[in-house]
Amino acid sequence: MSDQRAAFIDEDLREAAIPVAQYVRMSTEHQKYSTENQTAAISEYASLHGMRIVKTYEDSGKSGLNLKGRNGLQTLLHDVERPLPGFQAVLVYDISRWGRFPDPDEAAAYVHACKSRGIRVIYCAEPFNNDGSLPSTVFIGIKRSMAAEYSRELSVKVFAGACNIVRHGYRQGGAPGFGLRRQLIDEQHNVKGLLPRGERKSIQTDRVVLVPGPPEEIALVHRIYRLFLQESMSERLIASVLNREGLTSDVGIQWTRGTIHQILTNEKYIGHNVYNRSSFKLKVQHVRNPPEQWIRRDGAFEAIVPIEMFAQAQAIIAERSLHLDDSQMLRMLRQTLEKHGALSGILIDEDGDAPSSSAYRSRFGSLLRAYSLIGYTPRRDYAYLEINKALRRRHPELINEITSGIEKNGGWAVRNGATDLLTINGEFTMTLVIARCKPTAAGTYRWRIRFDASLHPDVTVVARMDPSNRSAHDYYVFPAIDFSTDSLPVLENNGFTLDAYRTDSLEIIYQMAGRVPLPEVG
């Protein structure tokens, strides 16, 4: 057989092979779980079973405890929802690579999301087939539970190790704070240098301690204490003074009541090493722990604030709420809830009209206890506040992209600086709405959409963000003539009627703009 004919046969076999995708994930575990080893094992499995890998989804350095931050798996689940994903199955090295979710049902939910679209999930290194049979169902359930138990056992060991590190006077995670820096030392306590923001130690036997930061930052910390103690300024007023002078925090942002309050209340400024004030075990729920559960080592670091000044500040902060009885404090907490629609330590500290979050913890034992007394139950963490800030910054960027696209297609647009309403070609108006993506407990996604009815645009473009809320997932283009706010695209699958308005890009807007000639000049 000639080489050319053999090449044609190999090509025919390759084209006849079943197209599949592979998903690989590595956190910081044993080398056997390196992405290279996973890929090699998956490739061998695919070759033996007449499969052709056409796409790879990867999460490197990502924990398998939840879906957050795992862009590879999120993209995979998103692509599976497409009418033609381009593959018929997903190959995974083993069940633990899919995830070590504390709740095994969460892993099953993501597998079911694939199966419901006709995409099988196959574990290449497991001694059974994921074929829906009774034996495989039992084995998979056991292995998922084992993966979850491994995470729980590892969490206990990691926590015990972290507590031991703190008791020996070493820093355990977290930003150093304004006026402080992280210093790296080896096991003989030889100084190796300062760790810049975002960097971590690379050698397991190295340790981190806190040391005084730049003299100008220390001087500003002392000034904050003087303004608070000697000038009787509130945290909010101090922040206002510093902002007017153009001074920023260590991360380059303006001062707030909360950031000033943190400097006045955190014991690291007097050299105390305190750990486990809050817990986020298995990344399930943030919990504020009572003081008796804190792990501490007093005098672990060099203090940059005299302990007498710190004690005076604590006495003043505690005194502010002593004249308020429980009912008054709870009434003010309800007012904060009504103002913001939610509660958190940050939101409470930013509200200058209410006691601080530490005052509520001291009076009622914990914030959750205070929440329960006013009938408020937190339903989620407050990462959405930062997401909303990022989306507000993204809005003008998308407007600029749309304007640029219109101009490239031969149209023109005038932007209203106050409302961001676009008037396109002098013929019709358009407004842009960005919808934040919100995961549900079942592993699906929802979008919350708010329209500004006062603008009365001819066309409303809704940009639904992807699960990371960094880029657009898709767009819905709604003409005002046949659209009402009763039918908003808030689900992953919105039915035939709404899908008629859906588009993967803004090409339809560009085409509409390109059909209208430019105005004559002169």
Side-chain angles (χ1 to χ4, degrees):
M1 182 184 299
S2 67
D3 292 343
Q4 185 177 11
R5 183 181 177 190
F8 280 131
I9 292 176
D10 289 343
E11 182 65 20
D12 290 342
L13 291 174
R14 193 184 73 84
E15 292 298 329
I18 301 171
V20 297
Q22 63 174 338
Y23 173 72
V24 294
R25 179 186 67 83
M26 180 183 180
S27 52
T28 56
E29 300 174 60
H30 194 272
Q31 181 63 24
K32 78 169 186 175
Y33 282 134
S34 71
T35 54
E36 293 81 4
N37 287 349
Q38 293 177 59
T39 299
I42 292 173
S43 297
E44 182 179 358
Y45 182 96
S47 177
L48 292 173
H49 292 81
M51 298 175 178
R52 173 169 51 95
I53 299 174
V54 297
K55 197 162 187 179
T56 297
Y57 300 89
E58 179 178 339
D59 283 317
S60 295
K62 299 297 182 182
S63 166
L65 291 174
N66 57 30
L67 198 61
K68 184 178 181 180
R70 294 171 65 181
N71 294 334
L73 184 55
Q74 291 180 23
T75 304
L76 166 61
L77 296 174
H78 170 262
D79 288 351
V80 164
E81 297 293 328
R82 294 180 177 275
L84 296 173
F87 50 86
Q88 298 178 22
V90 179
L91 304 186
V92 189
Y93 180 76
D94 65 13
I95 288 176
S96 72
R97 297 306 87 199
W98 189 253
R100 287 189 168 125
F101 301 96
D103 183 354
D105 289 343
E106 185 174 357
Y110 301 140
V111 172
H112 178 72
C114 296
K115 289 175 62 178
S116 65
R117 294 287 180 168
I119 307 295
R120 286 184 61 196
V121 177
I122 301 172
Y123 309 111
C124 302
E126 301 289 3
F128 49 80
N129 293 322
N130 187 13
D131 56 5
S133 64
L134 179 60
S136 71
T137 302
V138 172
F139 280 127
I140 289 173
I142 293 174
K143 293 285 291 222
R144 284 176 181 151
S145 298
M146 290 171 61
E149 184 59 28
Y150 173 87
S151 296
R152 281 188 283 269
E153 292 177 354
L154 183 62
S155 174
V156 172
K157 294 177 182 177
V158 170
F159 178 72
C163 292
N164 186 53
I165 289 174
V166 171
R167 291 190 182 102
H168 281 82
Y170 303 120
R171 178 73 171 174
Q172 180 63 31
F178 188 83
L180 297 167
R181 293 295 184 269
R182 295 179 302 151
Q183 187 176 78
L184 189 65
I185 59 176
D186 63 20
E187 53 187 335
Q188 280 80 39
H189 281 226
N190 296 315
V191 175
K192 300 181 68 174
L194 297 178
L195 278 176
R197 174 173 292 276
E199 287 192 9
R200 300 181 180 182
K201 66 185 185 73
S202 57
I203 301 177
Q204 190 171 7
T205 55
D206 286 350
R207 292 291 179 257
V208 177
V209 295
L210 291 184
V211 296
E216 60 272 17
E217 289 191 15
I218 297 176
L220 184 53
V221 170
H222 290 169
R223 182 186 175 196
I224 289 172
Y225 272 84
R226 287 196 303 271
L227 292 174
F228 185 75
L229 297 175
Q230 300 173 14
E231 304 295 332
S232 300
M233 289 189 181
S234 67
E235 292 97 319
R236 186 175 297 279
L237 183 55
I238 294 173
S240 178
V241 169
L242 299 185
N243 290 333
R244 282 200 305 269
E245 295 178 6
L247 301 174
T248 59
S249 70
D250 53 322
V251 293
I253 61 176
Q254 287 195 327
W255 293 94
T256 66
R257 180 184 189 269
T259 52
I260 297 296
H261 184 79
Q262 195 269 342
I263 287 178
L264 293 171
T265 57
N266 198 306
E267 294 184 59
K268 63 188 176 185
Y269 289 97
I270 56 173
H272 294 350
N273 195 15
V274 184
Y275 179 68
N276 198 41
R277 280 179 288 198
S278 64
S279 304
F280 191 31
K281 293 180 179 178
L282 297 178
K283 298 187 178 182
V284 175
Q285 183 180 8
H286 270 112
V287 177
R288 288 280 183 178
N289 297 321
E292 57 268 20
Q293 293 183 12
W294 295 359
I295 309 299
R296 61 186 305 129
R297 171 70 179 270
D298 292 349
F301 315 124
E302 180 182 348
I304 66 171
V305 173
I307 193 167
E308 297 81 9
M309 292 179 66
F310 185 84
Q312 291 175 29
Q314 306 322 297
I316 292 173
I317 291 172
E319 180 68 25
R320 287 190 308 206
S321 59
L322 288 179
H323 66 282
L324 299 174
D325 60 29
D326 290 358
S327 62
Q328 290 173 316
M329 290 186 68
L330 293 176
R331 184 175 68 253
M332 298 177 77
L333 189 61
R334 289 191 190 94
Q335 292 172 351
T336 302
L337 175 60
E338 292 171 0
K339 185 184 302 182
H340 298 287
L343 288 175
S344 71
I346 294 176
L347 290 174
I348 294 171
D349 287 337
E350 291 296 340
D351 190 347
D353 299 326
S356 67
S357 59
S358 60
Y360 282 103
R361 293 189 189 98
S362 176
R363 178 69 64 89
F364 299 103
S366 69
L367 281 181
L368 289 178
R369 170 65 175 161
Y371 294 165
S372 67
L373 292 175
I374 64 170
Y376 173 68
T377 303
R379 289 172 291 182
R380 56 184 180 271
D381 63 26
Y382 295 98
Y384 76 93
L385 293 175
E386 294 301 320
I387 293 175
N388 286 348
K389 289 181 182 177
L391 293 183
R392 284 193 291 270
R393 293 192 298 267
R394 182 72 175 124
H395 190 273
E397 295 174 358
L398 274 177
I399 289 288
N400 290 336
E401 291 176 16
I402 293 173
T403 303
S404 177
I406 289 172
E407 292 173 354
K408 288 179 181 178
N409 283 267
W412 56 281
V414 177
R415 177 179 177 180
N416 185 308
T419 64
D420 281 336
L421 185 73
L422 291 181
T423 301
I424 300 174
N425 297 329
E427 295 289 332
F428 64 95
T429 57
M430 190 210 83
T431 188
L432 171 69
V433 174
I434 295 182
R436 176 170 63 89
C437 181
K438 173 188 173 185
T440 67
T444 57
Y445 300 104
R446 294 292 183 269
W447 286 264
R448 177 174 294 177
I449 301 172
R450 293 188 176 96
F451 285 83
D452 190 347
S454 64
L455 297 179
H456 302 292
D458 298 309
V459 175
T460 297
V461 173
V462 176
R464 299 199 308 175
M465 303 304 285
D466 64 12
S468 69
N469 282 298
R470 293 173 182 162
S471 57
H473 164 64
D474 58 13
Y475 300 88
Y476 279 75
V477 180
F478 293 105
I481 193 171
D482 57 357
F483 153 68
S484 70
T485 55
D486 295 329
S487 55
L488 298 181
V490 297
L491 308 177
E492 290 186 70
N493 302 292
N494 294 287
F496 175 80
T497 303
L498 279 175
D499 279 342
Y501 298 99
R502 182 180 177 276
T503 175
D504 287 332
S505 70
L506 291 168
E507 191 62 32
I508 185 172
I509 292 293
Y510 301 151
Q511 291 176 1
M512 293 169 63
R515 291 194 185 107
V516 182
L518 291 169
E520 295 183 3
V521 179

Coordinates of all heavy atoms in Angstrom, one line a residue, residues 38-93:
Q38 N -3.0 13.9 32.9 CA -4.4 13.7 32.6 C -4.6 13.6 31.1 O -5.4 12.8 30.6 CB -5.3 14.8 33.2 CG -5.3 14.9 34.7 CD -6.1 16.0 35.2 OE1 -7.2 16.2 34.9 NE2 -5.4 16.9 36.0
T39 N -4.0 14.6 30.4 CA -4.2 14.6 28.9 C -3.7 13.4 28.2 O -4.3 12.8 27.3 CB -3.5 15.9 28.3 OG1 -4.0 17.1 28.9 CG2 -3.6 15.9 26.8
A40 N -2.5 12.9 28.7 CA -2.0 11.6 28.1 C -2.9 10.5 28.3 O -3.1 9.7 27.4 CB -0.6 11.3 28.7
A41 N -3.5 10.3 29.5 CA -4.4 9.2 29.8 C -5.7 9.3 29.0 O -6.2 8.3 28.5 CB -4.7 9.1 31.3
I42 N -6.2 10.5 28.9 CA -7.4 10.8 28.1 C -7.2 10.5 26.7 O -8.0 9.9 26.0 CB -7.9 12.2 28.4 CG1 -8.4 12.4 29.8 CG2 -9.0 12.5 27.4 CD1 -8.8 13.8 30.2
S43 N -6.0 10.9 26.1 CA -5.7 10.7 24.7 C -5.6 9.2 24.4 O -6.1 8.7 23.4 CB -4.4 11.3 24.3 OG -4.5 12.7 24.5
E44 N -5.0 8.4 25.3 CA -4.9 7.0 25.1 C -6.3 6.3 25.1 O -6.6 5.5 24.3 CB -4.1 6.4 26.2 CG -3.9 4.9 26.1 CD -3.0 4.3 27.2 OE1 -2.5 5.1 28.0 OE2 -2.8 3.1 27.2
Y45 N -7.2 6.8 26.1 CA -8.5 6.2 26.1 C -9.3 6.6 24.8 O -10.0 5.7 24.3 CB -9.3 6.9 27.3 CG -10.7 6.3 27.5 CD1 -10.9 5.3 28.4 CD2 -11.8 6.9 26.8 CE1 -12.2 4.8 28.6 CE2 -13.0 6.4 27.0 CZ -13.3 5.4 27.9 OH -14.6 4.9 28.1
A46 N -9.2 7.8 24.4 CA -9.9 8.2 23.2 C -9.4 7.4 22.0 O -10.2 6.9 21.1 CB -9.6 9.7 22.9
S47 N -8.1 7.1 21.9 CA -7.6 6.3 20.7 C -8.1 4.9 20.8 O -8.4 4.3 19.7 CB -6.0 6.3 20.8 OG -5.5 5.5 19.8
L48 N -8.2 4.3 22.0 CA -8.6 2.9 22.1 C -10.1 2.8 21.8 O -10.6 1.7 21.5 CB -8.3 2.4 23.5 CG -6.8 2.2 23.8 CD1 -6.7 1.8 25.3 CD2 -6.3 1.1 22.9
H49 N -10.9 3.9 21.9 CA -12.3 3.8 21.8 C -12.9 4.5 20.6 O -14.1 4.9 20.5 CB -13.0 4.3 23.1 CG -12.8 3.5 24.3 ND1 -11.6 3.5 25.0 CD2 -13.6 2.5 24.9 CE1 -11.7 2.7 26.0 NE2 -12.9 2.1 26.0
G50 N -12.0 4.8 19.6 CA -12.4 5.4 18.4 C -13.0 6.8 18.5 O -14.0 7.2 17.9
M51 N -12.3 7.6 19.4 CA -12.7 8.9 19.6 C -11.7 9.9 19.1 O -10.5 9.6 19.1 CB -13.0 9.2 21.1 CG -14.1 8.3 21.7 SD -14.3 8.5 23.5 CE -15.7 7.4 23.8
R52 N -12.1 11.1 18.8 CA -11.2 12.2 18.4 C -11.4 13.4 19.3 O -12.5 14.0 19.3 CB -11.5 12.5 16.9 CG -10.7 13.7 16.3 CD -10.9 13.7 14.8 NE -12.3 13.6 14.4 CZ -13.1 14.7 14.2 NH1 -12.6 15.9 14.3 NH2 -14.3 14.5 13.8
I53 N -10.4 13.9 20.0 CA -10.5 15.0 20.9 C -10.5 16.3 20.0 O -9.5 16.6 19.4 CB -9.4 15.0 21.9 CG1 -9.5 13.8 22.8 CG2 -9.5 16.3 22.8 CD1 -8.3 13.6 23.7
V54 N -11.6 17.0 20.1 CA -11.7 18.2 19.2 C -11.6 19.5 20.0 O -11.4 20.6 19.5 CB -13.0 18.2 18.4 CG1 -13.0 17.0 17.5 CG2 -14.2 18.2 19.3
K55 N -11.7 19.4 21.4 CA -11.7 20.6 22.2 C -11.2 20.3 23.6 O -11.5 19.2 24.1 CB -13.1 21.3 22.3 CG -13.1 22.7 22.7 CD -14.4 23.4 22.4 CE -14.2 24.9 22.7 NZ -15.5 25.7 22.4
T56 N -10.5 21.2 24.2 CA -10.0 21.0 25.6 C -10.4 22.1 26.5 O -10.3 23.3 26.1 CB -8.4 21.0 25.5 OG1 -8.0 19.8 24.8 CG2 -7.9 20.8 27.0
Y57 N -11.0 21.8 27.6 CA -11.3 22.7 28.6 C -10.4 22.5 29.8 O -10.3 21.3 30.3 CB -12.8 22.6 29.1 CG -13.8 22.8 27.9 CD1 -14.2 21.7 27.1 CD2 -14.3 24.0 27.7 CE1 -15.1 21.9 26.1 CE2 -15.2 24.2 26.6 CZ -15.6 23.2 25.8 OH -16.5 23.3 24.8
E58 N -9.8 23.5 30.3 CA -8.8 23.3 31.4 C -9.0 24.4 32.5 O -9.2 25.5 32.3 CB -7.4 23.5 30.8 CG -6.2 23.4 31.8 CD -4.9 23.4 31.1 OE1 -4.8 23.2 29.9 OE2 -3.9 23.7 31.9
D59 N -8.8 23.9 33.7 CA -8.7 24.7 34.9 C -7.5 24.4 35.7 O -7.4 23.3 36.3 CB -9.9 24.5 35.8 CG -11.2 25.2 35.3 OD1 -11.1 26.3 34.9 OD2 -12.3 24.5 35.3
S60 N -6.5 25.2 35.6 CA -5.2 25.0 36.3 C -5.1 25.8 37.6 O -5.5 27.0 37.6 CB -4.0 25.4 35.4 OG -4.0 24.5 34.2
G61 N -4.7 25.1 38.6 CA -4.6 25.8 39.9 C -5.9 26.2 40.5 O -6.0 27.2 41.2
K62 N -6.9 25.4 40.2 CA -8.3 25.7 40.7 C -8.8 24.6 41.6 O -8.6 23.4 41.3 CB -9.2 25.9 39.5 CG -8.9 27.0 38.6 CD -8.9 28.4 39.3 CE -8.6 29.5 38.3 NZ -8.6 30.8 39.0
S63 N -9.3 25.0 42.7 CA -10.0 24.1 43.7 C -11.2 23.5 43.0 O -11.9 24.1 42.2 CB -10.3 24.8 45.0 OG -11.2 24.0 45.8
G64 N -11.5 22.2 43.4 CA -12.7 21.6 42.9 C -13.9 21.6 43.8 O -14.8 20.9 43.7
L65 N -13.8 22.5 44.8 CA -14.9 22.6 45.8 C -16.2 23.2 45.3 O -17.2 23.0 45.8 CB -14.4 23.3 47.1 CG -13.3 22.6 47.9 CD1 -12.8 23.5 49.0 CD2 -13.9 21.3 48.5
N66 N -16.0 24.1 44.3 CA -17.2 24.7 43.8 C -16.9 25.2 42.4 O -15.9 25.0 41.8 CB -17.7 25.9 44.6 CG -16.7 27.0 44.9 OD1 -15.8 27.2 44.0 ND2 -16.7 27.6 46.0
L67 N -17.9 25.8 41.7 CA -17.8 26.2 40.3 C -17.1 27.6 40.2 O -16.6 27.9 39.1 CB -19.2 26.3 39.7 CG -19.3 26.3 38.2 CD1 -18.7 25.0 37.6 CD2 -20.8 26.4 37.7
K68 N -17.1 28.3 41.3 CA -16.5 29.7 41.2 C -15.1 29.7 40.8 O -14.2 28.9 41.4 CB -16.7 30.4 42.6 CG -16.2 31.8 42.6 CD -16.5 32.5 43.9 CE -16.0 33.9 43.9 NZ -16.2 34.6 45.3
G69 N -14.7 30.5 39.8 CA -13.3 30.6 39.4 C -12.9 29.5 38.4 O -11.8 29.6 37.8
R70 N -13.7 28.5 38.2 CA -13.4 27.4 37.3 C -13.9 27.8 35.9 O -15.0 27.3 35.4 CB -13.9 26.1 37.8 CG -13.3 25.6 39.1 CD -13.9 24.4 39.7 NE -13.8 23.3 38.8 CZ -14.4 22.1 39.1 NH1 -15.0 21.9 40.3 NH2 -14.2 21.1 38.3
N71 N -13.3 28.7 35.2 CA -13.7 29.2 33.9 C -13.8 28.1 32.9 O -14.6 28.1 32.0 CB -12.8 30.3 33.4 CG -12.9 31.5 34.3 OD1 -13.9 31.8 35.0 ND2 -11.9 32.3 34.3
G72 N -12.9 27.1 33.0 CA -12.9 26.0 32.0 C -14.2 25.2 32.1 O -14.9 25.0 31.1
L73 N -14.6 24.8 33.3 CA -15.8 24.0 33.5 C -17.0 24.9 33.2 O -18.0 24.4 32.6 CB -15.9 23.5 34.9 CG -17.1 22.5 35.2 CD1 -17.2 21.4 34.2 CD2 -17.1 22.0 36.6
Q74 N -17.0 26.2 33.6 CA -18.1 27.0 33.2 C -18.3 27.2 31.7 O -19.5 27.1 31.2 CB -17.9 28.4 33.9 CG -18.0 28.4 35.4 CD -17.7 29.8 35.9 OE1 -17.9 30.8 35.3 NE2 -17.3 29.9 37.2
T75 N -17.2 27.3 31.0 CA -17.3 27.4 29.5 C -17.8 26.1 29.0 O -18.6 26.1 28.0 CB -15.9 27.8 29.0 OG1 -15.5 29.0 29.6 CG2 -16.0 27.9 27.5
L76 N -17.4 25.0 29.5 CA -17.9 23.7 29.0 C -19.4 23.6 29.2 O -20.1 23.2 28.2 CB -17.2 22.6 29.8 CG -17.7 21.2 29.7 CD1 -17.7 20.7 28.3 CD2 -17.0 20.2 30.6
L77 N -19.9 23.9 30.4 CA -21.3 23.8 30.6 C -22.1 24.8 29.8 O -23.2 24.5 29.3 CB -21.6 24.1 32.1 CG -21.0 23.1 33.1 CD1 -21.2 23.5 34.5 CD2 -21.6 21.7 32.9
H78 N -21.5 25.9 29.5 CA -22.1 26.9 28.6 C -22.2 26.4 27.1 O -23.2 26.4 26.5 CB -21.3 28.2 28.6 CG -21.8 29.2 27.5 ND1 -21.1 29.3 26.4 CD2 -22.8 30.1 27.5 CE1 -21.7 30.3 25.6 NE2 -22.8 30.7 26.3
D79 N -21.1 25.8 26.7 CA -21.0 25.3 25.3 C -22.0 24.1 25.1 O -22.5 23.9 24.0 CB -19.6 24.8 24.9 CG -18.7 26.0 24.7 OD1 -19.2 27.2 24.7 OD2 -17.4 25.8 24.6
V80 N -22.1 23.3 26.2 CA -23.1 22.2 26.1 C -24.5 22.6 25.8 O -25.3 21.9 25.1 CB -23.0 21.3 27.4 CG1 -24.2 20.4 27.5 CG2 -21.7 20.6 27.5
E81 N -24.8 23.8 26.2 CA -26.2 24.3 26.0 C -26.4 24.8 24.6 O -27.5 25.0 24.2 CB -26.4 25.5 27.0 CG -26.4 25.2 28.4 CD -27.5 24.3 28.8 OE1 -28.6 24.4 28.2 OE2 -27.3 23.4 29.7
R82 N -25.3 24.9 23.8 CA -25.5 25.4 22.4 C -26.1 24.3 21.6 O -26.0 23.1 21.9 CB -24.1 25.7 21.8 CG -23.5 26.9 22.5 CD -22.1 27.2 21.8 NE -21.5 28.4 22.3 CZ -21.8 29.7 21.9 NH1 -22.6 29.8 20.9 NH2 -21.1 30.7 22.5
P83 N -26.9 24.6 20.5 CA -27.5 23.6 19.6 C -26.5 22.6 19.0 O -26.8 21.5 18.9 CB -28.2 24.5 18.6 CG -28.3 25.8 19.2 CD -27.2 26.0 20.1
L84 N -25.3 23.1 18.6 CA -24.3 22.3 18.1 C -23.0 22.5 18.8 O -22.1 23.3 18.3 CB -24.1 22.6 16.6 CG -25.4 22.3 15.7 CD1 -25.1 22.8 14.3 CD2 -25.7 20.8 15.7
P85 N -22.7 21.8 19.9 CA -21.5 22.1 20.6 C -20.2 21.6 19.9 O -19.1 22.0 20.3 CB -21.7 21.3 22.0 CG -22.7 20.3 21.6 CD -23.6 20.8 20.6
G86 N -20.4 20.6 19.0 CA -19.3 20.2 18.2 C -18.6 18.9 18.8 O -17.6 18.4 18.3
F87 N -19.2 18.3 19.8 CA -18.7 17.1 20.4 C -19.8 16.3 21.0 O -20.9 16.9 21.3 CB -17.6 17.3 21.4 CG -18.0 18.4 22.5 CD1 -18.7 18.0 23.6 CD2 -17.6 19.7 22.3 CE1 -19.0 18.9 24.6 CE2 -17.9 20.6 23.3 CZ -18.6 20.3 24.4
Q88 N -19.6 15.0 21.2 CA -20.7 14.1 21.6 C -20.5 13.6 23.0 O -21.4 12.9 23.6 CB -20.8 12.9 20.7 CG -21.2 13.3 19.2 CD -21.3 12.1 18.3 OE1 -21.4 11.0 18.7 NE2 -21.1 12.3 17.0
A89 N -19.3 13.8 23.6 CA -19.0 13.4 25.0 C -17.9 14.2 25.5 O -17.2 14.9 24.8 CB -18.6 11.9 25.0
V90 N -17.8 14.1 26.9 CA -16.7 14.8 27.6 C -15.9 13.8 28.3 O -16.4 13.0 29.1 CB -17.3 15.9 28.6 CG1 -16.1 16.5 29.3 CG2 -18.1 16.9 27.9
L91 N -14.6 13.7 28.0 CA -13.7 12.8 28.7 C -13.0 13.5 29.9 O -12.4 14.6 29.7 CB -12.6 12.3 27.7 CG -13.1 11.6 26.5 CD1 -12.0 11.0 25.7 CD2 -14.2 10.5 26.8
V92 N -13.1 12.9 31.1 CA -12.5 13.4 32.3 C -11.6 12.3 32.9 O -11.9 11.1 32.8 CB -13.5 13.8 33.3 CG1 -12.9 14.6 34.5 CG2 -14.6 14.7 32.7
Y93 N -10.5 12.6 33.4 CA -9.5 11.6 34.0 C -10.2 10.8 35.0 O -10.3 9.5 34.9 CB -8.3 12.3 34.6 CG -7.3 11.3 35.1 CD1 -6.5 10.6 34.3 CD2 -7.2 11.1 36.5 CE1 -5.6 9.6 34.8 CE2 -6.3 10.2 37.0 CZ -5.5 9.4 36.1 OH -4.6 8.5 36.6

